[in-house]
Amino acid sequence: MARSSARSASPMPVPPRPRRTFGDVMKALLAVVALLALVLGVPFGLIQVGRPVPDGPPGEWLSSAIDAETLIRILMLVVWIAWAQFTACVLVEVKAAVSGVGLPARVPGAGPSQLLARQLVAAVLLLGATAASFTPGISGFGQQAPDTHRPTVAAAQQTPGGLVGGRQQNAADALARQAEQIARQADTGGSHQQGTKFYRIQPPEGRHHDSLWEIAQRHLDDGRRYKEIYALNKDRVQPDGSRLSEASLIRPGWIMEMPADAHGGELVETPGTNPELSKGQQQEIDAYAKDGQDGRGGQAGQGGHEQQRPAARDGDTTTGHFTVPAHHEHAAGHTATPPAGEEVAAPASHTPGLPEALLGAPLLAAGLLAALGRRRRAALWQAATAVAGRRRGMELPTPSGDEADVQDALFAGADPGAVRFLDRALRSLARSLAAEGRPLPLVYAAWLGTDELHLQLAEPAGPPPAPWTHGEDETFWRLEGREVPVPAVDPDSADEPADEEPQAAPYPGLVSLGAQDGSRLLLNLEAVPGLVSLAGAPADRQAVLSSVAAELATNGWSDRMTVTLVGFGADLVPLAPSRLRPLDDVAALLDVMEAETASRRAGLGAAGADSVLTGRTGPAHQAGWAAHLVLLAAEPDAEQAARLAELAHDAARLGIGYLVGAGPDQLPGAAWEMEITSEGRLLAPLLGLELDAQLLPAPQHAAVARLFAAADAFGGGGGDDDPAGPAVAHRPPFLVDISERGRPSVYARLVGRYELMGLDAPDDERGPLLREALALLLLHREGVHPRVLASALWPRGAGDDVREATVARLRDWLGTGEDGTPRLREDATGRLVLDASVVSDLDVLRSLYHEATSGRGADDRAVRGRLLTDALGLVRGPLLAERPAGRYGWLAHEIVDAQLPLLVADIGLALAAFHLERDRAPQAAEALERALVSAGTDERLWNELLRAVHATGDAPRLRALASAFATRSGARGLPPRTAALLDELLPGAAASDEAGTA
């Protein structure tokens, strides 16, 4: 340790500054001569020639004929104006170069003149003592600048696809240097030792601006160490009074403290003698060093106080090729006023038990939640229609452990409104452009904010259609507000007119990568002109790839697509079997993609389309235009990487995207390069991106897969030997005592209109909120996490204090039972659970049906009939009928809205069968009609009702029922089984009813 400390106490000396050569001196002298000639010689010569304006009043010489003398005077006036402009440029550049602080002011309309003035002033300053350290590019005047002072691709290039190649770093060496630096910092304890090094941010040269990445590249030999520079200087006061708050926002004239092993001639060291610095510059650096020492000794950088963000300047929002729209910066220091009556969303705090990765991924969570709901509804229907010996009942298995935590995180983190907004916005844009006869622009990325959407185009595409407007510049199209004038077309909607073609999703390859400055970045993988590489530890790369795969499989803004998973994700296939396709290795992928690439090229040529983007939204609407996105977790070898690069060369035109979990060393042909860090940051320095990455870590990946697998197992209706059998028993999760002894102390009617008995009505305006919270708890007898409760009541977000106050208010309202036990308590996992004395009619309904089919009624026919009749007597309509508008939105995610109709249908069918056993057809028909009140779309009830009415011999009633069912079926017509049944009971009735409906 002593050895390390000694090394840290004696930092690496700064290499001697290069001596001025004879050539440098000659260049400086020539520059002096040129400046004297231009600044002093030009006006002297012009004065000798004469005045540019003739004598006499202006009216005379303005109205006189134009002759040779007049032309000469006009040229003299132009030269005087040019001289004045150049002189102003010289003065501005001299002031900026001598002060060394700030960016030189721009003289209007003086681009070439100011550039010439800057070069001449820089050359002259070679004769001074301050030039070498603070004037950019002086040592390279008249020659090519070293590569280490430039990125590998010109910053002026607008397409990220142009970023091919670049500086390749040896990963092992870079990690070793980082480890050495971390150890050195640990040994020194972060204290300032004698000989601290500093760097002053240089003014821009042409279109090249200094950046922390390039500073780290030049002086630390690894651009990825820019975070060390940022950590040393974050929130410290700069000479102009502002502070460094974001790594991508630095300004000329700022001072950066450097790590101890920094090297290079542009660095200065303090305390110490720095003859190349002026007195003022030395004082600025000394003050900056003292501020850093005071900050480390006090509270700076440790949360002791909140730093004020500096005022925005030109270029502050630009972060390279991808740009965060400027209006999103309000997220750092401005809170929008919420609509009246809504709670203000507070920053989300960590909640034990719920995975933060899903809580912070609203689009992914919404997609997974919607897909899981669809899968469970399908499983319920499959279970309901299975043969009697293989049925599992109406209760899906209740998740527990990691699955319960993941399910709660999906409920709490999902933002279905954002998904709808994104989908409608993109489809309406495609529809508007098609109406104008314009092609879709190529979109590289989308930035999704709270109430706005920005599309970042590859190149300007003209004026956007209303209500879209231009954003930061012509490469941004902006849409404000969540309401899109043209409604989205749902391809699966039963109400869609048959003669209207659904609008295809224009950008199905958009996928969330993470968040920056309050906005979520969606990268269009389909538009990347080549491979996208993802470097980082294998587990971190896997978390990114799993997130991308899960969102692509379940997102709501895509139609048809294929997502090929290589080397991972076979357990994710149940999320979307029609989209996801797993492959074992890269060799299998190459065989598949070479054939598909050739097929797509031939298809585009035959169709006369220049790209899949135009073909997808044009008149063809061919299946071949669907996006195909490839996610590789298996690293290719050199030969495979070369073949992949060749395939991806034309991928953007063909609608194919590649995301490869390999670093640039393993994938040298990557167009875009990204890196995921162990801290969950997604970095793409050459693209200007540094995001809080969206991840699906391995535990959540496995839990999500198990949730979908459990739904599939339930719907499969396996027998007793099915591995899923023990997890999906017939018994509902909560049964009540249906005898007289089991009378509840609080009773709620949820099947039909919401009514409460046994509780005093809340006496304030919060009553509707408390009633809604109680309904949610009654539908989840297993317990509700407080975060889930809050997200259900306040979909736009609520703070911890609001949530806790509401739970306390709800607990007080429910009160205690006869034994003094609170009716609302928390279980061992922190979930809110209702006491067994608080019961709903849905609980009673389930308990009656269970007792009738699996309890006493199973062996006693009379008991079964009485229990089924009592159960059907509880059916008064759909779940929570007549609920207030704008509330109970969480029911859209609940499976109970599918469980209740199936349960009621089962009760009605069982009671009808009970009556038909005794030839009581009218009573059977009455039971079936009562069940249709809550299960009006169940084909089984309609078919049994037709049979029961036919058994009564009432032909007019039978015809009326057939006509009513045909009307309800709409344009789709009667279901095949019902049509066949009507042909048997009423020959010709099915055809006539369908003809009348048409």
Side-chain angles (χ1 to χ4, degrees):
M1 181 64 70
R3 183 177 180 180
S4 299
S5 301
R7 185 179 67 247
S8 299
S10 303
M12 182 185 299
V14 178
R17 293 177 355 95
R19 298 176 60 86
R20 289 189 291 272
T21 64
F22 177 76
D24 293 334
V25 175
M26 292 303 300
K27 289 177 183 178
L29 293 176
L30 289 174
V32 170
V33 173
L35 280 175
L36 291 175
L38 293 172
V39 176
L40 300 178
V42 169
F44 179 79
L46 290 172
I47 292 173
Q48 300 302 316
V49 174
R51 296 176 57 192
V53 179
D55 297 331
E60 293 183 2
W61 53 266
L62 287 176
S63 60
S64 63
I66 299 177
D67 52 13
E69 182 180 357
T70 303
L71 291 176
I72 293 174
R73 292 182 183 275
I74 293 174
L75 291 175
M76 289 175 59
L77 181 61
V78 172
V79 175
W80 272 109
I81 294 173
W83 170 81
Q85 185 187 59
F86 178 77
T87 303
C89 294
V90 171
L91 295 176
V92 167
E93 294 297 328
V94 168
K95 178 180 179 299
V98 171
S99 67
V101 178
L103 181 66
R106 295 183 60 184
V107 178
S113 297
Q114 189 162 6
L115 179 59
L116 175 61
R118 180 176 305 164
Q119 292 175 336
L120 292 174
V121 170
V124 170
L125 289 178
L126 275 173
L127 297 178
T130 64
S133 295
F134 297 106
T135 303
I138 290 178
S139 61
F141 178 72
Q143 60 187 4
Q144 180 68 27
D147 289 344
T148 55
H149 291 264
R150 291 284 191 274
T152 57
V153 178
Q157 186 173 341
Q158 295 299 315
T159 59
L163 302 176
V164 180
R167 184 177 303 276
Q168 304 295 328
Q169 295 290 335
N170 184 283
D173 292 344
L175 290 175
R177 285 194 296 270
Q178 292 177 6
E180 182 181 356
Q181 175 66 12
I182 292 172
R184 183 182 299 110
Q185 292 176 350
D187 290 342
T188 61
S191 60
H192 282 254
Q193 301 293 338
Q194 186 176 10
T196 305
K197 298 172 185 177
F198 295 91
Y199 174 85
R200 189 183 292 270
I201 304 300
Q202 299 298 302
E205 279 188 286
R207 303 190 68 170
H208 166 64
H209 293 253
D210 224 340
S211 68
L212 293 187
W213 177 277
E214 293 185 0
I215 295 170
Q217 184 71 57
R218 294 196 301 267
H219 300 291
L220 299 174
D221 298 322
D222 188 351
R224 289 173 290 187
R225 293 184 62 185
Y226 77 97
K227 290 183 288 187
E228 299 175 27
I229 306 176
Y230 175 72
L232 287 171
N233 297 276
K234 184 178 184 298
D235 294 332
R236 291 171 62 180
V237 179
Q238 292 291 337
D240 61 359
S242 57
R243 302 173 188 267
L244 174 66
S245 60
E246 296 181 24
S248 59
L249 303 182
I250 59 175
R251 298 173 184 165
W254 280 8
I255 300 170
M256 294 289 115
E257 180 180 342
M258 301 293 290
D261 62 339
H263 57 83
E266 298 171 317
L267 302 179
V268 295
E269 204 168 349
T270 189
T273 58
N274 296 286
E276 70 275 14
L277 300 182
S278 67
K279 183 178 180 181
Q281 293 165 350
Q282 183 66 60
Q283 289 175 349
E284 286 179 354
I285 293 181
D286 291 340
Y288 188 81
K290 184 176 185 301
D291 176 70
Q293 293 170 347
D294 294 342
R296 286 167 175 78
Q299 296 176 337
Q302 300 177 13
H305 61 277
E306 183 177 354
Q307 304 291 355
Q308 181 67 32
R309 183 175 180 158
R313 296 188 180 182
D314 292 341
D316 275 7
T317 60
T318 300
T319 57
H321 296 294
F322 281 94
T323 304
V324 184
H327 51 277
H328 292 309
E329 292 195 1
H330 72 275
H334 171 71
T335 302
T337 303
E342 292 195 14
E343 301 289 344
V344 178
S349 60
H350 174 71
T351 304
L354 298 189
E356 295 290 340
L358 290 173
L359 289 174
L363 302 183
L364 172 61
L368 287 172
L369 193 60
L372 184 60
R374 291 192 298 268
R375 188 60 48 82
R376 286 174 168 174
R377 287 175 175 83
L380 281 172
W381 180 250
Q382 292 169 4
T385 56
V387 295
R390 297 172 61 85
R391 300 215 21 202
R392 296 184 181 276
M394 291 300 102
E395 299 300 327
L396 283 161
T398 302
S400 60
D402 289 344
E403 290 92 320
D405 291 339
V406 164
Q407 179 174 271
D408 285 344
L410 294 179
F411 276 109
D415 188 354
V419 174
R420 288 192 298 270
F421 169 56
L422 180 62
D423 179 46
R424 293 176 179 178
L426 296 177
R427 292 182 194 269
S428 66
L429 174 64
R431 187 180 294 108
S432 298
L433 290 172
E436 297 178 8
R438 297 170 56 188
L440 281 167
L442 182 62
V443 170
Y444 277 143
W447 293 93
L448 181 63
T450 304
D451 291 304
E452 56 194 351
L453 173 65
H454 286 247
L455 298 182
Q456 192 162 352
L457 313 184
E459 59 186 5
W468 292 78
T469 60
H470 278 305
E472 301 299 298
D473 53 42
E474 292 185 351
T475 61
F476 272 94
W477 285 6
R478 174 183 182 184
L479 179 65
E480 293 187 8
R482 284 284 179 98
E483 295 301 324
V484 180
V486 180
V489 176
D490 184 358
D492 300 325
S493 174
D495 300 328
E496 182 65 28
D499 58 347
E500 184 173 344
E501 184 70 21
Q503 176 61 55
Y507 303 112
L510 285 171
V511 65
S512 303
L513 290 183
Q516 178 176 331
D517 290 343
S519 297
R520 305 203 68 80
L521 172 67
L522 291 91
L523 183 67
N524 190 4
L525 287 177
E526 188 186 15
V528 179
L531 302 174
V532 180
S533 70
L534 177 65
D540 298 327
R541 295 199 315 244
Q542 181 77 42
V544 174
L545 292 172
S546 295
S547 169
V548 171
E551 185 172 291
L552 289 174
T554 61
N555 73 43
W557 55 88
S558 302
D559 298 330
R560 304 179 309 272
M561 73 161 58
T562 300
V563 183
T564 299
L565 313 178
V566 184
F568 82 108
D571 55 343
L572 294 178
V573 172
L575 273 64
S578 62
R579 287 191 182 185
L580 297 182
R581 177 177 62 180
L583 294 177
D584 293 332
D585 52 34
V586 181
L589 172 71
L590 290 170
D591 293 339
V592 171
M593 297 312 299
E594 285 174 348
E596 180 164 348
T597 299
S599 174
R600 291 201 174 207
R601 284 174 179 161
L604 284 178
D610 58 348
S611 71
V612 162
L613 183 63
T614 55
R616 179 183 299 139
T617 55
H621 290 294
Q622 299 182 16
W625 307 138
H628 187 166
L629 304 173
V630 179
L631 309 179
L632 288 86
E635 296 186 7
D637 58 29
E639 179 183 356
Q640 292 170 337
R643 292 175 63 185
L644 280 173
E646 177 64 26
L647 287 173
H649 175 70
D650 200 24
R653 189 176 70 91
L654 303 177
I656 303 175
Y658 295 87
L659 176 59
V660 186
D665 292 339
Q666 292 78 29
L667 205 65
W672 296 353
E673 298 175 2
M674 299 186 296
E675 178 185 3
I676 179 66
T677 70
S678 59
E679 295 82 16
R681 301 285 290 171
L682 189 66
L683 309 178
L686 294 180
L687 301 178
L689 293 178
E690 184 173 349
L691 308 171
D692 292 322
Q694 179 171 293
L695 306 171
L696 187 62
Q700 285 78 57
H701 172 128
V704 166
R706 289 195 296 269
L707 285 173
F708 280 82
D712 286 346
F714 181 86
D720 295 338
D721 57 345
D722 193 324
V728 284
H730 288 278
R731 183 180 179 86
F734 180 76
L735 296 175
V736 300
D737 186 354
I738 57 177
S739 67
E740 287 295 327
R741 299 188 306 273
R743 296 181 67 86
S745 60
V746 177
Y747 184 69
R749 290 179 175 175
L750 305 179
V751 184
R753 190 163 59 89
Y754 188 8
E755 298 176 358
L756 281 174
M757 289 165 279
L759 278 178
D760 295 332
D763 56 1
D764 56 19
E765 60 186 9
R766 296 189 179 94
L769 193 71
L770 296 178
R771 289 165 58 89
E772 185 177 356
L774 177 57
L776 178 62
L777 290 166
L778 286 167
L779 294 178
H780 288 275
R781 304 305 306 228
E782 73 278 7
V784 176
H785 198 282
R787 280 295 294 270
V788 175
L789 179 67
S791 66
L793 299 179
W794 297 283
R796 295 175 64 88
D800 294 346
D801 54 343
V802 174
R803 181 178 69 242
E804 292 167 0
T806 300
V807 171
R809 199 173 292 117
L810 180 62
R811 183 179 290 110
D812 293 341
W813 178 49
L814 291 175
T816 59
E818 296 179 357
D819 59 353
T821 304
R823 294 188 177 122
L824 180 64
R825 57 181 175 81
E826 291 186 0
D827 65 8
T829 65
R831 290 174 171 81
L832 302 172
V833 181
L834 289 173
D835 187 70
S837 62
V838 183
V839 174
S840 73
D841 55 355
L842 185 56
D843 298 326
V844 178
L845 190 68
R846 289 166 169 163
S847 300
L848 287 171
Y849 180 65
H850 173 77
E851 189 69 15
T853 56
S854 302
R856 292 180 294 124
D859 300 322
D860 190 325
R861 186 179 182 281
V863 171
R864 181 169 71 255
R866 178 172 55 80
L867 293 172
L868 291 174
T869 301
D870 291 344
L872 202 57
L874 296 175
V875 177
R876 302 177 300 124
L879 183 71
L880 291 169
E882 303 178 14
R883 53 183 177 265
R887 307 234 44 113
Y888 297 87
W890 46 270
L891 279 173
H893 304 305
E894 295 288 335
I895 194 64
V896 69
D897 67 338
Q899 289 175 313
L900 177 61
L902 291 174
L903 176 61
V904 171
D906 273 5
I907 294 173
L909 292 170
L911 186 56
F914 171 81
H915 288 302
L916 289 174
E917 289 176 0
R918 297 296 179 90
D919 295 327
R920 296 197 292 259
Q923 289 84 347
E926 181 182 356
L928 292 167
E929 288 181 326
R930 183 64 181 270
L932 284 169
V933 172
S934 290
T937 61
D938 197 307
E939 181 187 354
R940 299 171 301 162
L941 289 177
W942 283 96
N943 290 350
E944 291 304 315
L945 180 58
L946 291 172
R947 291 189 179 98
V949 172
H950 180 265
T952 64
D954 190 345
R957 185 183 177 192
L958 182 60
R959 289 187 178 277
L961 283 173
S963 178
F965 194 20
T967 301
R968 180 185 291 270
S969 299
R972 293 183 176 180
L974 289 172
R977 292 190 179 186
T978 303
L981 178 61
L982 280 176
D983 284 340
E984 174 65 25
L985 301 179
L986 289 173
S992 62
D993 286 334
E994 291 188 1
T997 302

